[in-house]
Amino acid sequence: MFAADLFTLPAFVAYLGLGILYFVAFLVTYIWITPQREMALISAGNLAAAISLAGAAIGFVLPLASAIAHSVSLLDLALWGAVAWAVQLATHGVLRLIVRDLRGKIEANMCSVALFVAVVATCVGALNAAAMTY
């Protein structure tokens, strides 16, 4: 019985591997496109930078997890993962337009702004995940 359960192990490894690859690549891209230096700020104890980055990460992972759960192939996962990526980056772009001087507020450790940004990113991610189920 245990051997039969291991039959799906290669698929598990492939989907998990692609999911982790997309997650790391998204974080690198997100950190690269934002004007503030999140990792340096986080290392210096800036909670706002950590909150903002965490919201973007969760907002990306929610639809990515949905894509993993519902995709029929690795190519399908890759395509829906790219959609999740694009939606989350677009969300950040809109937030930069809505929140005046987002960079300065994150650098000034304004946690209220960071929490708002994180909540919006997470909510959009949840909606994106739900939309992917159809």
Side-chain angles (χ1 to χ4, degrees):
M1 182 162 171
F2 183 69
D5 292 335
L6 290 179
F7 178 71
T8 60
L9 185 61
F12 165 79
V13 171
Y15 279 81
L16 178 64
L18 185 56
I20 290 171
L21 176 69
Y22 262 53
F23 178 66
V24 170
F26 170 78
L27 286 178
V28 169
T29 304
Y30 185 86
I31 290 169
W32 180 67
I33 68 159
T34 56
Q36 66 272 8
R37 301 296 75 168
E38 278 92 351
M39 298 315 292
L41 291 169
I42 292 168
S43 294
N46 185 308
L47 184 58
I51 291 169
S52 176
L53 181 59
I58 294 167
F60 174 68
V61 165
L62 288 171
L64 182 63
S66 178
I68 290 170
H70 296 100
S71 63
V72 295
S73 67
L74 287 174
L75 178 59
D76 190 38
L77 168 58
L79 293 173
W80 284 110
V83 169
W85 195 324
V87 168
Q88 198 55 231
L89 293 182
T91 299
H92 176 73
V94 170
L95 284 166
R96 283 176 62 180
L97 293 173
I98 293 171
V99 179
R100 292 182 154 218
D101 191 26
L102 180 58
R103 174 186 183 174
K105 290 175 180 173
I106 296 296
E107 290 174 347
N109 204 16
M110 291 184 70
C111 291
S112 59
V113 172
L115 182 59
F116 171 74
V117 167
V119 167
V120 170
T122 302
C123 290
V124 169
L127 292 172
N128 191 7
M132 286 184 181
T133 63
Y134 293 100

